[in-house]
Amino acid sequence: MSQHPDAYCDRRRSPPRRSGGALGQALMLLFAIVCTSVNVARADDPLGQYLERLRLTRLLAEHLERELVNKTLPEERSGVVERLALVYPELLEQEENTTRRDELIARSSAFLDREHPKQADGLRLSLLRARYRGAARIAEDFRSRLAEPKSIADAITTLQMIEKESVQLRTRMEQRLKELERKGERTEGLEGERLEDRANILRGQVQESLGLEAWSLYYRSLLSENRQLAETAQPLFARVLDTGQPYPRPEDVSLDLRSNEFFANAILGMALVKGRTESLVAALAWLQLLEEPQVSDAIRKQLPAWRLVACLERGEWTKARELVRAMTVESGAPAAWLRLAAVGGLTDGGKSRDATNLAREAVSALAARRELGLIADLARRFGEAATGDRGFAASYVRGVLAYEKGRQAKDRKDTSEAATQFADASKHLELALTEPDGGEFAVAMTACRSLAAWSRFERGNYDEAFGYFAAASDAGNGRDEESDWMTLVTLEKMLVTAGAPPVDAERKRTIEGELRQRIDRFLGQHPASDKVPQVLLRRMAISDTPRREDLERILAIDGSSPNAAETKRQATQGFYRLFRTSAAQERVDVGKRFLAEVRKLPTTGGSGGLAGLPDGDITLARQALDVALTPDIDDADYADALLRAIDALQSANAFDATPFRSELIMRHVQADLVRHRLASALKQVSDLQAGVSDDAGRSALDLARRQIYRYASARLKDPALPIGESDRAAIVGASLQMAEALLDVAIEKAGSLNIALSDRVTDAIAMVALQAATEAVVGGGDRAIGERAIVIAKALALKRGKDPAVLELTATVATTIGDNALALDSLRQIVAGSPERSERWFRSKVSMLELLAKTDPAQARAVLSQHRQLHPDYGPEPWGSRLRAIESSLPPGPVDATGAGGTRP
């Protein structure tokens, strides 16, 4: 594993404490122990004050250690001892270097044994955390078969020590906590608050010691293959989660708990012990709790690996292989995860065919990434089982290893050895492509095809290399730029051979035709590629991005110079490449410079043959549209001219725009929006929607809708933005129309609105739809809009919980369409969840009372009576006046026991 759960090793991720009531109560007060510079410097120690102010914790510790050596009187030493007891924990938390941390652990431990500081539990806990971190890393190395026997034994001993000392430390801290709580009950004022703060720190430390013990038991279970230890860890993790259940179920854990990294790691720990002691289903159910946006990214990003661990624990080889494939497709999984999968399958020892297939899948993925060091280590540890003796994986790995040897020989300029190794690589890689099980390794198959091409290319077999590169390019369908590019390179080399005496004219014509087609295809699929100039002119450095001063020099070339037009065209293309890589104001400046040069190019057909476009080139025209419609450039006049020219050429069937039809529609919509022609943009989307018949049309429709959605929703939220001749109603209508259309697509893909809202972008779109619908309904829109808004509001409430923004919008819509029950329920939730006497609290309470006054006057009187008791002033303006007005509008209530009219108690 590349990481281990170390929230129990970091004081900055301390557990929250429960509020003073029962542990199961719904509300929690989160208390964080913030790891900032400790206040230890004394007024008579100016150097210590200076080091502390600059947060030079290491130097501060060394300074205090020297001070301690120089102090002889007990009263002088005690102050320095207590200061060091506060500095050492922070230093331990900051240190990442293993060697320095081990040295610091030794110094801190010796200090504790020698000096016996009074306030030492914080330091002891930090020492336990530091020792746990090292042992946990060894345990994760053990999982991937990277740990040596001595390290494993040492880690087991360390974990046993941590378990024992955690219990002892927790017992002492719990006793101190009881004493503080008893004392705090009798103390008020500032001293009482200070005691409560100390109690809070102790509560957090008690929870941390529980977590350390639980994780130590889990890792000792892993290292010793003793599943009973994992059973022992389970109730400890349950105590950390504190759901009120000794053996909680996943549904007992609240969403609030998961958002705290300390508790999220406890959930992870529960999942891992379930994986060792119960079943894969149980482990995955606990891991699923962490698939929430509120959970720390650091934990969520590791979930695929922990799911893999759970599968390997239970011997679920097929499920593990599915996870490996998903990791490979995403291509973002660390190589360590793939090694873990390989080790899991290999450790089975060939007893299960599924385990063997898992290992080969993982090894093939490592080979595709050229992680040859990892593969070699697996081969040393597991022998031929790591690669197999036949099948795709075995041949592929051998081919990769041979290819790397050939590259190394080439770098040494050992041409004979390089040729031998490249030939060996070709043999194995081409055999792998023919193996019957090759279809089971789709991603690795693509890499194998490409590497087979390179093996032929390195030996000068360009015809054969082209065949493999072309196959990879065709399979990539525009996604494999390297293979697309290498088809051109190999064709160029083949053309040189065909043009050498004796000239094979027929072969040369065939190659030229293929090259032209491949160039057109490359330009169509990769218009923004940094290789576009090389493809157009068949020259320009492959990896260098032109510097602006070089481009300006090219543009200054005398027009009578040989190839001046082509050279200037190259400089113009270079400006576009600079534009794509520039940022902020430089990007705007470079873009304007590019457009200035494009405008100079002839539009009479030029080298591209398409009259009306710059140099007759559709690629240049598309690049010009990209720049002209960029925010802060917004050259709508030029964009309109280009779009008219392209439309005219399309009408004349001068070229096939099918590959980039959606892009052109996008540019039309962009141009309309730049000119604030919202109605025109909407009409184009409407016309497009009426003619949608294929995937390309649906993609274009989606992109166009998103452009209008971004334009309209920005103005829905900020009315100060320009809107041209549109009015507010048009902005609201466009926001609602586009948001609902995008939601419909998302719902169709996901299967339901609730599932679709798990995507953050879709969640934001739904919120815009609700805002726009609310404004539309309030402005007189029909009831159907309100009813659709309610559906969205309920789904958002289910996903977001008691989000006051969602609840307020829900209340407004519900009130407008007459759903008084929903409106009152929403307003009550806002009042209950808002800070008392806050703006939102008053706004919602007044709205609630106004609605109650119409629907349930008696209840309105009761709520107002309670409000008067708690807030005799009714509240600040305008809320106070509105509340008094509501009260005066209510009919008299029943007479109370005193004979005065009023509300019921």
Side-chain angles (χ1 to χ4, degrees):
M1 295 287 289
S2 59
Q3 295 183 10
H4 67 282
D6 61 355
Y8 298 93
C9 305
D10 190 342
R11 292 171 63 202
R12 292 166 293 180
R13 301 176 185 163
S14 300
R17 67 170 177 85
R18 302 288 183 177
S19 58
L23 291 178
Q25 69 185 65
L27 299 177
M28 295 188 302
L29 297 175
L30 296 184
F31 175 83
I33 304 170
V34 182
C35 185
T36 56
S37 181
V38 291
N39 184 14
V40 299
R42 299 187 322 196
D44 60 351
D45 183 9
L47 178 56
Q49 288 181 319
Y50 173 77
L51 295 173
E52 180 185 339
R53 186 168 61 253
L54 295 182
R55 301 179 65 83
L56 301 173
T57 311
R58 181 181 298 282
L59 294 178
L60 178 59
E62 293 173 356
H63 164 69
L64 291 174
E65 287 170 344
R66 288 194 297 271
E67 284 278 289
L68 191 60
V69 171
N70 294 331
K71 302 293 183 184
T72 56
L73 296 177
E75 60 271 20
E76 292 178 330
R77 291 178 59 81
S78 64
V80 179
V81 166
E82 297 305 321
R83 292 162 69 193
L84 264 175
L86 294 174
V87 172
Y88 276 139
E90 182 176 357
L91 198 55
L92 281 165
E93 304 305 334
Q94 294 176 353
E95 187 56 70
E96 295 294 334
N97 181 276
T98 303
T99 301
R100 288 199 296 266
R101 186 170 61 249
D102 289 344
E103 184 270 335
L104 184 58
I105 289 172
R107 280 164 55 195
S108 303
S109 300
F111 166 78
L112 275 176
D113 295 338
R114 184 178 66 250
E115 304 295 343
H116 306 291
K118 295 178 182 178
Q119 303 295 330
D121 284 348
L123 176 55
R124 290 188 178 94
L125 189 58
S126 290
L127 283 168
L128 290 179
R129 283 193 296 262
R131 289 176 175 133
Y132 161 80
R133 180 183 284 131
R137 286 188 174 126
I138 291 172
E140 289 300 338
D141 285 345
F142 167 82
R143 202 193 297 274
S144 296
R145 297 301 184 267
L146 289 170
E148 299 301 325
K150 184 179 184 308
S151 297
I152 296 170
D154 290 344
I156 291 174
T157 300
T158 298
L159 293 169
Q160 288 174 317
M161 178 275 294
I162 292 169
E163 294 161 27
K164 178 181 177 181
E165 294 192 11
S166 292
V167 173
Q168 295 172 349
L169 182 59
R170 186 166 66 254
T171 301
R172 287 199 305 273
M173 291 190 296
E174 287 174 340
Q175 182 59 41
R176 285 177 56 206
L177 179 59
K178 290 178 182 178
E179 295 171 0
L180 278 176
E181 289 174 340
R182 285 196 296 269
K183 189 174 181 181
E185 290 172 356
R186 302 190 300 270
T187 307
E188 297 181 352
L190 292 175
E191 178 62 19
E193 293 179 4
R194 187 177 67 83
L195 290 173
E196 178 61 16
D197 286 344
R198 289 172 58 192
N200 284 336
I201 292 174
L202 272 174
R203 291 185 186 104
Q205 290 175 334
V206 167
Q207 286 285 79
E208 286 190 82
S209 67
L210 267 174
L212 282 169
E213 184 183 355
W215 276 107
S216 297
L217 282 165
Y218 166 74
Y219 275 123
R220 192 153 65 88
S221 167
L222 176 67
L223 291 169
S224 61
E225 298 295 338
N226 183 344
R227 294 183 183 268
Q228 183 59 44
L229 293 173
E231 287 277 8
T232 307
Q234 183 175 333
L236 294 176
F237 281 123
R239 286 180 61 188
V240 172
L241 294 173
D242 200 8
T243 62
Q245 302 292 331
Y247 292 93
R249 298 167 301 174
E251 55 266 31
D252 295 330
V253 181
S254 73
L255 189 60
D256 289 340
L257 276 185
R258 296 176 238 171
S259 65
N260 180 280
E261 193 161 350
F262 181 85
F263 286 121
N265 272 285
I267 293 170
L268 173 60
M270 185 68 83
L272 294 180
V273 298
K274 292 286 187 182
R276 286 190 66 75
T277 61
E278 291 189 20
S279 67
L280 177 62
V281 172
L284 294 181
W286 280 91
L287 289 174
Q288 188 60 36
L289 295 182
L290 302 176
E291 281 283 8
E292 294 289 345
Q294 293 89 340
V295 177
S296 161
D297 285 346
I299 292 176
R300 281 191 293 117
K301 289 178 180 177
Q302 293 286 314
L303 285 178
W306 294 122
R307 289 194 178 95
L308 178 61
V309 166
C311 290
L312 298 179
E313 286 276 10
R314 308 307 305 180
E316 295 281 353
W317 312 119
T318 301
K319 179 67 175 176
R321 193 178 183 194
E322 292 173 2
L323 289 172
V324 169
R325 284 185 173 177
M327 293 175 183
T328 306
V329 170
E330 293 168 1
S331 73
W337 297 3
L338 298 175
R339 179 198 168 93
L340 176 64
V343 167
L346 292 168
T347 304
D348 181 66
K351 290 180 287 187
S352 165
R353 181 177 179 181
D354 290 336
T356 300
N357 288 338
L358 166 64
R360 291 180 179 176
E361 181 93 33
V363 170
S364 296
L366 288 170
R369 296 188 186 191
R370 311 281 275 278
E371 294 285 354
L372 303 185
L374 289 178
I375 294 173
D377 181 69
L378 290 171
R380 284 193 297 271
R381 292 174 186 271
F382 295 97
E384 193 175 70
T387 57
D389 57 351
R390 60 184 178 180
F392 173 84
S395 297
Y396 177 46
V397 171
R398 291 191 185 102
V400 172
L401 293 171
Y403 181 82
E404 289 301 317
K405 289 179 182 177
R407 292 291 305 172
Q408 293 164 6
K410 182 179 179 181
D411 292 342
R412 298 193 307 268
K413 302 190 184 309
D414 187 344
T415 55
S416 176
E417 175 65 13
T420 299
Q421 293 298 336
F422 285 135
D424 197 34
S426 292
K427 179 183 69 176
H428 292 301
L429 293 167
E430 290 166 23
L431 175 61
L433 292 171
T434 65
E435 291 288 0
D437 64 341
E440 300 179 27
F441 304 89
V443 175
M445 178 72 83
T446 300
C448 181
R449 190 179 289 112
S450 178
L451 203 59
W454 276 107
S455 298
R456 289 283 186 174
F457 185 86
E458 294 287 3
R459 294 158 57 204
N461 300 147
Y462 299 126
D463 286 54
E464 293 85 349
F466 170 74
Y468 287 112
F469 278 129
S473 173
D474 295 342
N477 194 27
R479 296 184 300 273
D480 184 359
E481 185 177 333
E482 180 186 82
S483 293
D484 295 341
W485 167 249
M486 287 306 298
T487 59
L488 308 184
V489 174
T490 50
L491 283 168
E492 289 277 5
K493 292 187 175 295
M494 291 162 61
L495 193 58
V496 170
T497 303
V503 176
D504 186 338
E506 182 61 29
R507 173 175 164 76
K508 184 178 178 182
R509 280 194 297 273
T510 301
I511 294 173
E512 286 176 339
E514 182 71 26
L515 181 58
R516 280 192 294 270
Q517 292 180 22
R518 293 279 172 179
I519 286 175
D520 291 342
R521 174 173 164 175
F522 188 96
L523 292 171
Q525 292 175 336
H526 310 287
S529 168
D530 64 353
K531 297 183 178 67
V532 166
Q534 295 97 302
V535 175
L536 294 171
L537 303 175
R538 297 160 68 175
R539 63 187 180 189
M540 183 177 267
I542 292 176
S543 58
D544 294 337
T545 298
R547 293 177 298 179
R548 181 164 184 173
E549 55 268 29
D550 294 337
L551 299 175
E552 296 288 4
R553 189 177 303 116
I554 293 172
L555 291 172
I557 293 174
D558 185 352
S560 61
S561 302
N563 301 317
E566 290 292 338
T567 304
K568 289 188 176 185
R569 177 189 172 90
Q570 179 179 1
T572 302
Q573 292 278 3
F575 268 112
Y576 181 70
R577 291 168 60 196
L578 281 179
F579 168 79
R580 297 292 298 177
T581 57
S582 298
Q585 184 55 40
E586 182 186 2
R587 176 180 170 88
V588 173
D589 185 47
V590 171
K592 290 180 177 178
R593 187 73 178 88
F594 167 76
L595 290 178
E597 290 304 316
V598 170
R599 280 190 169 101
K600 296 176 183 178
L601 294 173
T603 59
T604 55
S607 60
L610 297 176
L613 302 184
D615 205 31
D617 190 335
I618 185 61
T619 298
L620 262 175
R622 290 162 64 197
Q623 292 170 347
L625 282 170
D626 184 16
V627 176
L629 294 171
T630 295
D632 296 326
I633 295 179
D634 293 336
D635 192 342
D637 290 338
Y638 190 47
D640 281 342
L642 286 172
L643 287 169
R644 283 195 300 271
I646 293 172
D647 290 345
L649 289 167
Q650 282 186 270
S651 298
N653 294 320
F655 71 100
D656 180 12
T658 302
F660 41 86
R661 179 170 176 264
S662 62
E663 177 187 331
L664 293 176
I665 294 172
M666 277 292 302
R667 301 310 182 197
H668 273 290
V669 172
Q670 279 183 291
D672 279 337
L673 296 178
V674 168
R675 291 190 178 276
H676 304 297
R677 299 185 299 229
L678 179 58
S680 176
L682 287 169
K683 184 179 184 308
Q684 288 196 67
V685 170
S686 178
D687 292 343
L688 177 61
Q689 183 175 354
V692 166
S693 60
D694 56 16
D695 289 342
R698 281 184 284 273
S699 175
L701 179 61
D702 182 67
L703 292 170
R705 282 171 171 167
R706 290 182 186 278
Q707 284 289 332
I708 298 175
Y709 165 79
R710 283 192 284 269
Y711 175 90
S713 62
R715 284 151 179 80
L716 177 73
K717 298 171 186 176
D718 184 1
L721 291 173
I723 58 176
E725 296 182 0
S726 301
D727 56 16
R728 179 67 182 177
I731 294 298
V732 171
S735 298
L736 179 58
Q737 179 186 347
M738 294 301 105
E740 287 190 326
L742 294 173
L743 278 179
D744 287 343
V745 174
I747 292 168
E748 184 178 353
K749 290 180 180 178
S752 73
L753 176 57
N754 290 336
I755 296 174
L757 290 180
S758 62
D759 174 66
R760 283 182 293 181
V761 174
T762 305
D763 177 272
I765 292 171
M767 193 64 186
V768 168
L770 179 56
Q771 290 171 314
T774 301
E775 188 167 340
V777 170
V778 171
D782 60 37
R783 181 182 181 84
I785 295 175
E787 290 173 346
R788 295 199 303 273
I790 292 298
V791 172
I792 295 171
K794 289 180 178 178
L796 282 169
L798 183 64
K799 192 252 183 184
R800 293 189 177 195
K802 297 180 180 180
D803 185 329
V806 173
L807 291 171
E808 282 195 284
L809 292 168
T810 305
T812 301
V813 175
T815 300
T816 305
I817 68 173
D819 190 343
N820 296 330
L822 177 59
L824 287 170
D825 180 62
S826 301
L827 291 167
R828 288 190 182 104
Q829 290 188 62
I830 300 170
V831 171
S834 301
E836 197 161 338
R837 294 185 71 87
S838 66
E839 179 77 11
R840 175 175 277 138
W841 185 84
F842 270 116
R843 183 169 64 244
S844 300
K845 193 163 192 179
V846 169
S847 297
M848 179 180 70
L849 281 164
E850 288 175 341
L851 187 54
L852 280 173
K854 298 175 183 178
T855 60
D856 190 349
Q859 181 64 20
R861 284 194 302 273
V863 175
L864 267 170
S865 176
Q866 183 187 51
H867 181 84
R868 284 198 312 272
Q869 293 173 17
L870 298 174
H871 307 280
D873 65 341
Y874 284 81
E877 294 303 327
W879 313 117
S881 295
R882 288 178 65 178
L883 287 168
R884 290 186 182 93
I886 294 170
E887 186 174 44
S888 65
S889 72
L890 291 171
V895 178
D896 62 21
T898 65
T903 60
R904 293 186 297 275

